[in-house]
Amino acid sequence: MTRENDSTKVLLSETIKKLMVTKTLERLTVTDIVKEAGLTRQTFYRHFRDKYDLVNWCFDGLAEQCFYKMGVSLTLRDGLILKFNFIRNEKNFFMQAFRSTDYNSIEQHDYEFILKFYTEIIEKQLKKPLPENLRFILELYCHGSITMTVQWAINGMEKSPESMADDLIDSLPPKLAEILLPVLR
């Protein structure tokens, strides 16, 4: 079932976003979410493991709009600008979501997503598994990139999405830039 056709997941997504305007993610319960949505807990758990899984599903909508188009119809810069605009347009939701430190947090989900995304591009370019030295550099870059995204989100998103994109691209280590930039331009 596609994201657009799954009305229950969309309803739960809209509901948690609405609730996170006035309540932190940590204080929100599945009961709060299903009560507001007019659904049962059983329905919730048929679609999501927990509230963090729901938040991460919301993030995956961002990935579909941005990352999967990079190197196809979007450059790296355009994709990152789109990502930061998406986050800014859902400001309350992302400010709250990025504050979570749960093991299943959106920060961890974003890290795992971009690590996998960049790994696949690099391996495709190199036509071999990611070498250990590049894995270290990529993991370090991805951790830093996510940390800066989280700081930007929870501190009010004052820097423009264009500036954030440029800063992340300028921060690419040379060995990664050499492989990624030609593909994602």
Side-chain angles (χ1 to χ4, degrees), residues 54-108:
L54 170 55
V55 167
N56 290 337
W57 185 82
C58 296
F59 174 84
D60 291 342
L62 161 70
E64 286 177 13
Q65 291 184 28
C66 306
F67 288 98
Y68 296 134
K69 295 179 182 175
M70 286 184 201
V72 179
S73 61
L74 295 175
T75 64
L76 176 59
R77 184 176 191 274
D78 292 339
L80 289 171
I81 290 169
L82 197 59
K83 174 185 179 176
F84 291 119
N85 277 317
F86 186 100
I87 291 170
R88 187 179 260 176
N89 289 338
E90 300 278 350
K91 187 174 184 170
N92 290 322
F93 171 75
F94 281 103
M95 284 179 80
Q96 292 299 335
F98 277 125
R99 282 188 171 102
S100 172
T101 57
D102 186 80
Y103 74 95
N104 193 21
S105 70
I106 192 172
E107 181 175 358
Q108 182 63 29

Side-chain angles (χ1 to χ4, degrees), residues 111 114-115 133-147 171 173 176:
Y111 168 75
I114 65 168
L115 179 63
N133 68 323
L134 274 181
R135 174 164 296 285
F136 179 85
I137 294 168
L138 181 60
E139 287 176 1
L140 185 65
Y141 175 74
C142 289
H143 276 296
S145 171
I146 297 307
T147 297
S171 299
L176 293 180

Side-chain angles (χ1 to χ4, degrees), residues 16 25-28 30 33 44 50-55:
I16 197 169
L25 181 58
E26 274 68 28
R27 292 200 179 272
L28 267 180
V30 170
I33 298 165
F44 180 92
D50 55 28
K51 64 186 176 181
Y52 301 101
D53 191 33
L54 170 55
V55 167

